[in-house]
Amino acid sequence: MSGHGLVLGKFYPFHSGHSHLIRQAQRASDRVTVQVLGASVESIPLEVRADWIRESHPGVRVVAAMDDAPVDFESEAAWDEHMALIGSLLDDPVDTVFSCDAYGGELARRLDARWVRIDEGRRINPVSGTAIRADVAGNWHELAPAVRAWLTARVVVLGAESTGSTTLAAALAERLGTLWVTEYGREHSAIREGGLESPWRSDEFDLIVDRQIALEQRALREVPVPVLVCDTDVLATALWHERYVGTTAARLYEAAAAHRPLLYVLTGDEIPFEQDGMRDGEHIRHGMQQRFRDVLATQDVPWLEVRGDVPTRVEAAASALQELLTEHLSFAVPLEARPLDEQRALQQHARSTSLG
């Protein structure tokens, strides 16, 4: 064993190649520190990246810091800036530096440590952050469940009773090749004490929200592609609270604002009403549908109302989703991929922002 091992990187995003590197360091070391060094211009929060590693590799020490110094391996001044930060994050001297890339040799020399190069040329794990940022869906299998959950976009299908929301959610998920989350509120309605005839309590809706989000969180880690379809969500639950309790629950609207999907799809109420034994009835459907429209119009998540048969609705929803999903899966250009003049300017901007 080699004592204290060091792995560092941007992990933008964290992938299977990083995991292989960390595992190799763990096998060869008594203890391992992983340093997550991000830049202010990058679009994945630093602590999110650190948490991904903590979950996947609970046996290592993970520390994170912003490193806006230019990435210029020919510059002594740039190396000095990086080393000052790297050194400040260490709790003990380093015995071995583990890396895939060539910079590890110089880093090890400056730390008076040994360098072990892992998977030179990426022959074992032919994956990189650059490749994943360019094609997230195509490299989905290279990402840990926690990374998938963070990157996956949610599409929420909602609507008044008997507007085909569940049918559309299932059909849209099939079209997208992904999973869909069923409506927990419907299950709760069937098992609640007192049945449908018992007056609804406000706290029941908090339970529904908690269970619905738990179902989503489980599915987010299992989706085969970076999109999840949800049949209802917190916002819809807040509207049903108004209907069944008779008052507005500000806490539910606040929860909805903190749990925003990528897109809302409202199913149209032009189709015939069907009573399944659990629905209020045709007499309130159109009024409730209008309430959905009014609330969706006041929030800042994109939404559309779909009408027609199921294939027509699926096509409209999938078309609206495509552009949004492309934008959702785009990343800010990392610092090292920018020209040096731009890197220096960004560093100065980051410094002035932190001071002012």
Side-chain angles (χ1 to χ4, degrees):
M1 302 290 277
S2 67
H4 187 192
L6 174 66
V7 174
L8 62 78
K10 287 184 174 293
F11 308 100
Y12 186 55
F14 176 64
H15 55 68
S16 61
H18 296 134
S19 276
H20 176 70
L21 177 60
I22 294 170
R23 282 194 298 270
Q24 293 297 103
Q26 287 182 285
R27 291 189 182 108
S29 308
D30 296 315
R31 60 186 295 257
V32 174
T33 293
V34 178
Q35 293 190 1
V36 184
L37 304 179
S40 302
V41 295
E42 293 157 358
S43 51
I44 301 177
L46 200 60
E47 276 305 311
V48 168
R49 301 182 228 178
D51 285 343
W52 289 340
I53 300 170
R54 291 184 184 111
E55 177 179 315
S56 296
H57 300 278
V60 305
R61 174 177 178 260
V62 182
V63 292
M66 285 296 181
D67 184 5
D68 288 311
V71 182
D72 182 1
F73 296 125
E74 304 302 318
S75 167
E76 189 69 22
W79 265 110
D80 287 345
E81 285 190 81
H82 292 300
M83 294 307 302
L85 177 61
I86 291 167
S88 73
L89 296 174
L90 292 173
D91 61 348
D92 278 317
V94 171
D95 298 294
T96 310
V97 170
F98 298 86
S99 76
C100 173
D101 298 316
Y103 72 82
E106 180 62 17
L107 174 61
R109 186 188 71 80
R110 289 172 181 266
L111 289 170
D112 193 24
R114 184 169 64 103
W115 177 38
V116 174
R117 191 166 194 176
I118 304 296
D119 193 17
E120 181 178 357
R122 294 186 172 86
R123 293 186 296 270
I124 298 173
N125 291 95
V127 63
S128 66
T130 301
I132 289 172
R133 291 192 299 272
D135 183 10
V136 175
N139 290 283
W140 198 240
H141 60 288
E142 303 286 0
L143 303 176
V147 184
R148 295 184 186 186
W150 194 85
L151 289 174
T152 297
R154 291 183 306 112
V155 179
V156 174
V157 181
L158 40 64
E161 293 180 328
S162 191
T163 56
S165 58
T166 298
T167 300
L168 178 59
L172 181 59
E174 183 177 3
R175 162 66 185 276
L176 299 173
T178 193
L179 306 179
W180 67 287
V181 178
T182 58
E183 180 185 2
Y184 176 74
R186 187 171 179 84
E187 177 183 341
H188 181 78
S189 297
I191 64 174
R192 65 188 296 267
E193 186 177 355
L196 295 176
E197 303 305 317
S198 176
W200 284 79
R201 304 186 317 274
S202 182
D203 65 287
E204 288 184 83
F205 292 84
D206 296 283
L207 171 65
I208 290 170
V209 165
D210 290 344
R211 296 284 174 84
Q212 191 71 42
I213 291 177
L215 291 172
E216 291 176 8
Q217 290 176 337
R218 188 178 305 119
L220 286 169
R221 291 170 168 269
E222 299 172 353
V223 286
V225 294
V227 61
L228 175 68
V229 179
C230 302
D231 179 17
T232 198
D233 81 331
V234 184
L235 183 62
T237 304
L239 287 167
W240 291 118
H241 182 284
E242 291 181 5
R243 166 70 185 97
Y244 290 114
V245 179
T247 60
T248 296
R251 69 185 186 280
L252 296 181
Y253 282 103
E254 291 169 2
H259 192 62
R260 301 165 68 252
L262 185 68
L263 175 69
Y264 280 117
V265 179
L266 179 64
T267 45
D269 59 348
E270 84 287 1
I271 62 177
F273 182 85
E274 293 183 9
Q275 180 56 265
D276 64 357
M278 297 183 69
R279 292 168 175 160
D280 287 329
E282 173 71 10
H283 63 289
I284 72 158
R285 182 171 67 145
H286 298 299
M288 195 67 189
Q289 184 77 358
Q290 187 57 49
R291 180 62 180 146
F292 272 98
R293 295 187 188 106
D294 293 343
V295 169
L296 287 170
T298 64
Q299 49 84 60
D300 59 0
V301 176
W303 70 281
L304 76 157
E305 184 169 355
V306 293
R307 293 175 171 268
D309 60 16
V310 174
T312 301
R313 292 180 173 203
V314 168
E315 287 303 316
S319 177
L321 173 64
Q322 188 55 54
E323 184 175 346
L324 293 170
L325 191 58
T326 298
E327 182 180 354
H328 173 78
L329 294 175
S330 65
F331 302 81
V333 177
L335 188 66
E336 70 274 12
R338 301 168 186 249
L340 280 173
D341 287 347
E342 183 181 352
Q343 291 188 45
R344 295 187 184 101
L346 288 168
Q347 182 187 33
Q348 290 300 318
H349 176 72
R351 284 175 174 170
S352 62
T353 300
S354 65
L355 292 173

